[in-house]
Amino acid sequence: MDTQHLSTFVAIAESGSFSVAAARLHLTQPAISKRIALLEQQLDKKLFDRYGKQTQLTPAGRALLPHAREILQAVTDAGRALADLDGEVSGPLSIATSHHIGLHRLPSVLSEFSRAFPKVHLDLHFLDSEKALTAVAQGEFELGVITLGGQTSGQITQRPIWRDTLEFVCAKTHPLTQQEPLQLSDLCDYQAIAPDSNTHTTRLIQRLFEGNELTLNISMVTNHLDTIKMMVSIGLGWGVLPRSMIDAQLTTLNLQLPPLTRELGVVFDNRRSQSNAAQKFLAVLQSSTQAG
């Protein structure tokens, strides 16, 4: 099968649109349609159903998609391995990271790496940690820098880099600041602002409440910790944030609990040979953390 036809097929499958795929691949829509027609002719299977402007995979298309991704990834890996033989650190390096890590942990690492290896093209994408982990496992990114703790198979290596201490916080004007002594059960009377329930951070909080036979009252959900900080700071509810984000806008609640922590780090597929760029990035990440 022609890799151009397969890359076109994957682009349409991921975007759900012939026109969006055409723009992504810098091709005309007739050229995109022709590639798919040739691929369908070669396979003797219809790959897409069209309903007006909607495009959906047929059963044959769904069966082909993971194999197409694997084939394209193998071709990419082969080209990268050959290019890496001379030891040069260049080419693309795809990284998925969460907004919090990308904004608060990675800037100095990315700056140092880009200065040391200017021939590497950093392809950085911001995703929720759980989605980034899945994308790395599916071969969409070479590295993920995320909150660790998600379910992984044996193919994914998780390497801790940072440890976040989490604190319960609220606005200075919140009624919780007037309660002394403060118990965990007191928080149940007020609205919480937290990430989505499928995130590792919120699961940590839920386990703490459930372990004390309490019900967590989450009124607003957002996966951006900076947004949670803003909403908590203006008194819309209490929240849980990394200690590194707490400033004069917030009051830390003294709950006399064991420290609540989470690990942040890097993940990668251990079945794939790492590019020179990925190896150097991991080295810079580790060294900058040790220096910090």
Side-chain angles (χ1 to χ4, degrees):
M1 285 177 277
D2 191 303
T3 55
Q4 288 186 335
H5 295 169
L6 288 177
S7 63
T8 301
F9 164 73
V10 171
I12 297 170
E14 291 178 345
S15 66
S17 168
F18 275 64
S19 58
V20 172
R24 181 188 298 182
L25 298 175
H26 306 290
L27 295 170
T28 65
Q29 191 162 335
I32 289 282
S33 298
K34 184 177 180 180
R35 286 186 178 183
I36 294 302
L38 289 172
L39 182 59
E40 288 178 330
Q41 182 179 357
Q42 183 180 11
L43 297 174
D44 194 25
K45 298 289 183 182
K46 186 179 180 182
L47 301 175
F48 294 103
D49 284 324
R50 285 176 159 179
Y51 306 96
K53 294 184 178 180
Q54 292 186 337
T55 300
Q56 295 182 346
L57 288 166
T58 64
R62 289 194 294 272
L64 175 62
L65 184 57
H67 298 289
R69 283 176 171 151
E70 288 181 8
I71 292 169
L72 293 172
Q73 189 61 61
V75 172
T76 299
D77 289 347
R80 188 190 66 212
L82 293 174
D84 284 350
L85 287 175
D86 58 7
E88 184 177 14
V89 183
S90 61
L93 175 59
S94 59
I95 301 173
T97 189
S98 70
H99 286 82
H100 173 70
I101 295 174
L103 292 174
H104 295 278
R105 297 286 191 173
L106 277 185
S108 60
V109 176
L110 295 170
S111 177
E112 180 182 348
F113 180 82
S114 61
R115 288 196 305 269
F117 305 103
K119 292 184 179 181
V120 175
H121 170 64
L122 282 170
D123 182 21
L124 187 66
H125 293 255
F126 289 89
L127 298 172
D128 293 344
S129 290
E130 292 72 24
K131 293 181 179 179
L133 177 61
T134 299
V136 170
Q138 292 177 345
E140 296 179 39
F141 302 99
E142 191 167 0
L143 300 174
V145 189
I146 62 173
T147 302
L148 303 180
Q151 292 184 346
T152 63
S153 63
Q155 75 189 52
I156 296 294
T157 294
Q158 299 191 59
R159 185 176 296 174
I161 302 294
W162 307 280
R163 172 163 289 182
D164 260 351
T165 298
L166 302 174
E167 300 281 4
F168 289 82
V169 294
C170 66
K172 292 182 176 296
T173 57
H174 196 284
L176 284 169
T177 62
Q178 305 302 314
Q179 294 186 220
E180 188 67 34
L182 187 64
Q183 306 294 327
L184 188 65
S185 58
D186 295 326
L187 273 63
C188 300
D189 297 329
Y190 299 93
Q191 297 179 345
I193 305 171
D196 190 86
S197 60
N198 68 353
T199 64
H200 178 61
T201 300
T202 296
R203 287 198 298 268
L204 281 176
I205 303 168
Q206 287 175 326
R207 283 199 293 268
L208 175 63
F209 275 75
E210 290 169 359
N212 287 274
E213 299 183 345
L214 299 172
T215 300
L216 181 61
N217 177 20
I218 297 178
S219 61
M220 286 177 278
V221 173
T222 172
N223 289 356
H224 292 222
L225 296 188
D226 288 274
T227 305
I228 292 177
K229 177 183 176 181
M230 179 276 292
M231 291 194 292
V232 168
S233 71
I234 62 175
L236 298 183
W238 61 267
V240 177
L241 291 172
R243 183 179 291 170
S244 59
M245 293 182 66
I246 300 172
D247 57 22
Q249 296 177 300
L250 301 169
T251 293
T252 301
L253 298 172
N254 184 16
L255 288 167
Q256 299 298 315
L257 294 170
L260 191 64
T261 62
R262 64 177 190 172
E263 286 189 318
L264 315 177
V266 63
V267 295
F268 52 86
D269 190 333
N270 52 45
R271 300 173 304 174
R272 297 176 55 187
S273 59
Q274 288 183 346
S275 65
N276 289 347
Q279 293 178 41
K280 295 298 184 183
F281 183 85
L282 290 173
V284 171
L285 184 62
Q286 193 71 51
S287 64
S288 66
T289 304
Q290 291 170 350

